[in-house]
Amino acid sequence: MNIKNDKKKYKFLEDVAIADIAFEAYGKTLTEMFENSALAIFELSADLKTVDAREKLEFALENEKIDNLLYDFLSEILFLKDSKYMVFKKSEVSIIENEKYQLKAVLEGDTINPQKQKLENDIKAVTMHMFEVKKEKTRWKATVVVDI
Amino acid sequence: MRLVTTNLTYKEVQPKLKELVDTMFKTVPSGVGAKGFVQASKQQFKEIISDGSKWCVENGYGWQEDVERTEGYGRIDWAEPEKVSTKAVDRGMNQLGTLGSGNHYLEIQIVRAENIFDQEIAKRFGIAEPEQIVVMVHCGSRGFGHQIGTDYLRIFEGAMKKYGIEVYDRELACAPFQSSEGQDYYKAMACAANMAFANRQVILHRIREGFSKVFHTDAEKLEMHMVYDVAHNIAKLEEHNVDGHRKKVIVHRKGSTRAFPPHHPELAKLYKETGQPVIIGGSMETGSFLLVGTQKAMDETFGSTAHGSGRTMSRAAAKHQVRGEQLQRDMEKKGIYVKATSMPGLAEEAGFAYKNINDVIDAVSQAGISKPVVKLIPCGNVKG
């Protein structure tokens, strides 16, 4: 078992999508992989050292397919960024598998303030290009390309 | 893409360049979470996405002549706000008048005498003086259009199953044009196009205000006429010749610009004789082009040409080669004053990360699908 790789939360893939940004996110559990995918999005949006966890936002989603659930989850983060003017620092996710996958998430972050936060990419959308959720031997892996 | 002229020369603008760029940086917000200056209610936003530039001009954000200098007169009339989700409205309604990030920009450019390739057409487009200053804007429908894309991507996934369509890449999700899903999307996409026209229209209003403030005179006296505004990510039902027959087809210009020839019925009187102005953006270091549409584009490429120089290097690779702060200093030495909300974002847009714009223009010119009129050299830039 590659322990070093298991500890890695996410990795940006260079030269996969020239005009966009691609990443892989990992987790020992499905929940952890979702949280790490969100973390990659947060990291792209702002320097996380400059973002405080001052406010919480909660939401719930459900879907029959796990990859569509991840797509909706990440898209919801982009929607909340623009509609609530927030940048985020961390997320807590729980997923229950009934007939459908049911997700509950809490995002922690702060109202956008360019004087306070070092802001980076204003991500436009999560794309379906190369989008994949995969269960490997010891971990879950997601491949995501975001439109910048 | 939108291009605006002035009657100012570089000599007049150069001493005030920093003040001008700083003013634009403040009045045209960019980057993550930027809010626009237009305070529209939900009802007004629905009018904006139905009426595009027309709404802006009627509400004091522009001149009447701006509309006829915009592709489709700045208003796609098959837009239906009912086909757009509440989420898209919530995401976009406060972004009117914002630039965005990534490769979006507002640039102040110079017309060098040696860069005017067609004097006659340049004059008809409002470019007559060597060293003349013009302003170019690249931005679109912001989060609003992307939310529509996200919403319909999921709707189309279901539709593809229903209609038995398989695609190689899930991002290419689609539905038959005449299906309810296809028609709904076509009407929602038109709302996004109208938002983009409106966004660039209110930004033009801010540009005129900014120049007026810095040069203590009216935008009318500065002759800040729009040359043109073209979409470069849109699908439209048009009539074209296909295998010798006149046919109605959906022309999807994604990363492509409309390039209609002289006498095309969709062109306003002003450009009937010349053909449609075409704007092709290059990198922020190397320059951009104003071209004109041709009959050959109509015959061979459904009235379309390129839209920009295109990247040759990934964003990550560009950031490995240069830091934003260093690039900003280097560009200033070359006479280009640039302000950016994000320094890593600036590095990603370095000139070397893009194809050589001259090669791109040579290609479209030799193919005959548009004809170069003027090359525009950057001297000031606001980067998202």
Side-chain angles (χ1 to χ4, degrees):
Chain A
M1 185 166 47
N2 184 344
I3 292 172
K4 206 177 156 196
N5 229 11
D6 274 354
K7 278 190 178 167
K8 198 159 198 163
K9 292 179 173 176
Y10 56 84
K11 179 172 86 178
F12 290 109
L13 307 172
E14 298 187 4
D15 297 312
V16 166
I18 277 192
D20 299 323
I21 292 179
F23 64 84
E24 278 177 1
Y26 318 99
K28 280 198 291 293
T29 61
L30 202 51
T31 320
E32 201 177 281
M33 182 272 280
F34 268 62
E35 288 172 352
N36 288 339
S37 302
L39 193 61
I41 298 266
F42 303 158
E43 176 91 40
L44 282 171
S45 308
D47 179 347
L48 295 187
K49 290 195 290 292
T50 66
V51 178
D52 295 330
R54 286 161 60 100
E55 279 178 68
K56 283 185 183 179
L57 282 182
E58 287 178 39
F59 62 90
L61 295 167
E62 57 172 35
N63 207 291
E64 284 161 13
K65 286 176 156 182
I66 194 63
D67 55 348
N68 285 346
L69 186 71
L70 180 68
Y71 180 86
D72 290 350
F73 169 64
L74 299 177
S75 296
E76 188 70 17
I77 293 171
L78 300 185
F79 165 70
L80 291 169
K81 161 193 67 98
D82 283 343
S83 57
K84 304 280 183 199
Y85 308 103
M86 283 184 72
V87 267
F88 305 103
K89 194 181 183 76
K90 63 181 275 206
S91 68
E92 257 176 60
V93 174
S94 69
I95 299 170
I96 308 168
E97 202 182 333
N98 286 327
E99 278 165 30
K100 287 180 175 179
Y101 290 98
Q102 291 170 318
L103 171 144
K104 276 189 183 162
V106 182
L107 306 183
E108 290 182 41
D110 200 356
T111 306
I112 289 173
N113 177 356
Q115 264 77 50
K116 202 165 142 190
Q117 299 118 7
K118 221 170 153 188
L119 302 167
E120 293 180 3
N121 295 290
D122 191 19
I123 302 170
K124 294 174 183 171
V126 181
T127 76
M128 277 284 180
H129 178 57
M130 295 171 64
F131 193 81
E132 190 183 48
V133 171
K134 209 171 160 186
K135 173 100 174 77
E136 294 181 334
K137 260 187 201 165
T138 59
R139 62 175 185 180
W140 284 88
K141 184 179 101 175
T143 310
V144 182
V145 178
V146 291
D147 187 357
I148 296 290
Chain B
M1 286 300 252
R2 183 170 284 222
L3 185 69
V4 192
T5 63
T6 71
N7 59 11
L8 296 163
T9 61
Y10 181 55
K11 211 175 148 192
E12 291 166 302
V13 167
Q14 206 266 336
K16 290 190 166 191
L17 186 63
K18 282 192 180 176
E19 190 190 342
L20 197 56
V21 172
D22 292 348
T23 304
M24 297 298 160
F25 188 75
K26 258 188 243 152
T27 59
V28 185
S30 56
V32 185
K35 280 188 205 178
F37 71 100
V38 180
Q39 305 283 319
S41 65
K42 269 193 189 182
Q43 187 47 43
Q44 281 170 323
F45 188 70
K46 284 184 180 166
E47 290 169 22
I48 294 167
I49 61 178
S50 302
D51 292 341
S53 300
K54 184 172 168 269
W55 184 92
C56 304
V57 172
E58 282 171 1
N59 285 273
Y61 304 115
W63 301 349
Q64 196 56 48
E65 62 170 48
D66 298 343
V67 172
E68 63 186 41
R69 295 162 189 238
T70 306
E71 174 175 342
Y73 297 79
R75 178 179 184 262
I76 309 273
D77 60 7
W78 62 84
E80 276 186 28
E82 298 72 34
K83 305 298 180 192
V84 170
S85 70
T86 315
K87 262 186 157 171
V89 173
D90 286 346
R91 197 173 159 190
M93 62 180 283
N94 290 310
Q95 292 187 326
L96 193 65
T98 63
L99 206 52
S101 81
N103 64 356
H104 294 153
Y105 60 81
L106 186 163
E107 195 166 82
I108 299 170
Q109 303 167 332
I110 318 162
V111 177
R112 301 268 188 224
E114 68 272 24
N115 289 334
I116 304 179
F117 310 114
D118 189 321
Q119 294 281 355
E120 183 52 38
I121 294 181
K123 210 172 159 189
R124 301 283 285 275
F125 287 174
I127 292 173
E129 256 183 282
E131 302 297 297
Q132 190 176 341
I133 290 293
V134 298
V135 187
M136 186 177 280
V137 180
H138 173 217
C139 66
S141 58
R142 309 284 292 103
F144 176 68
H146 288 285
Q147 190 63 42
I148 293 174
T150 297
D151 295 342
Y152 277 92
L153 197 60
R154 295 299 311 281
I155 294 170
F156 279 10
E157 274 217 328
M160 288 197 302
K161 224 186 258 168
K162 185 167 143 192
Y163 301 112
I165 303 169
E166 279 179 34
V167 287
Y168 172 72
D169 182 331
R170 288 173 77 186
E171 185 69 7
L172 302 175
C174 56
F177 185 64
Q178 297 298 357
S179 67
S180 61
E181 296 89 346
Q183 283 297 302
D184 285 354
Y185 175 66
Y186 192 54
K187 290 163 188 165
M189 182 213 63
C191 293
N194 287 337
M195 162 65 178
F197 290 132
N199 193 27
R200 292 189 293 269
Q201 182 61 44
V202 301
I203 287 176
L204 168 61
H205 177 72
R206 292 296 251 192
I207 294 170
R208 285 177 176 148
E209 279 184 345
F211 268 77
S212 179
K213 190 174 153 234
V214 172
F215 292 96
H216 309 290
T217 184
D218 295 348
E220 285 85 356
K221 288 202 180 111
L222 293 170
E223 296 176 73
M224 298 188 70
H225 299 289
M226 217 172 112
V227 178
Y228 210 63
D229 179 300
V230 269
H232 58 213
N233 192 4
I234 196 168
K236 281 179 161 179
L237 197 57
E238 290 175 2
E239 250 188 47
H240 287 270
N241 282 332
V242 182
D243 301 329
H245 301 283
R246 224 42 208 154
K247 267 195 172 177
K248 272 195 172 172
V249 292
I250 307 290
V251 183
H252 191 170
R253 299 191 180 92
K254 162 73 190 163
S256 159
T257 303
R258 200 182 74 172
F260 280 173
H263 306 296
H264 191 283
E266 273 197 39
L267 296 181
K269 202 175 149 205
L270 177 72
Y271 297 132
K272 271 273 186 287
E273 298 298 318
T274 57
Q276 180 214 303
V278 169
I279 306 160
I280 300 189
S283 83
M284 61 183 182
E285 289 188 81
T286 50
S288 297
F289 279 77
L290 175 64
L291 304 90
V292 67
T294 61
Q295 186 55 43
K296 204 164 176 209
M298 215 58 204
D299 298 340
E300 295 189 357
T301 52
F302 296 95
S304 315
T305 187
H307 83 302
S309 50
R311 296 186 74 91
T312 173
M313 189 185 279
S314 74
R315 295 179 176 280
K319 276 191 291 195
H320 289 321
Q321 294 211 8
V322 71
R323 287 183 63 85
E325 291 82 356
Q326 184 62 47
L327 181 65
Q328 192 178 32
R329 283 193 296 271
D330 292 347
M331 284 177 67
E332 198 165 345
K333 275 183 213 153
K334 283 195 271 181
I336 308 167
Y337 178 62
V338 54
K339 284 271 276 193
T341 48
S342 154
M343 281 299 143
L346 183 68
E348 290 176 7
E349 294 297 317
F352 58 74
Y354 281 85
K355 287 176 207 149
N356 181 336
I357 184 75
N358 294 323
D359 293 346
V360 173
I361 301 301
D362 275 350
V364 297
S365 173
Q366 281 176 36
I369 56 173
S370 41
K371 190 169 167 283
V373 178
V374 184
K375 183 179 181 181
L376 307 159
I377 305 295
C379 65
N381 189 305
V382 174
K383 201 74 225 87

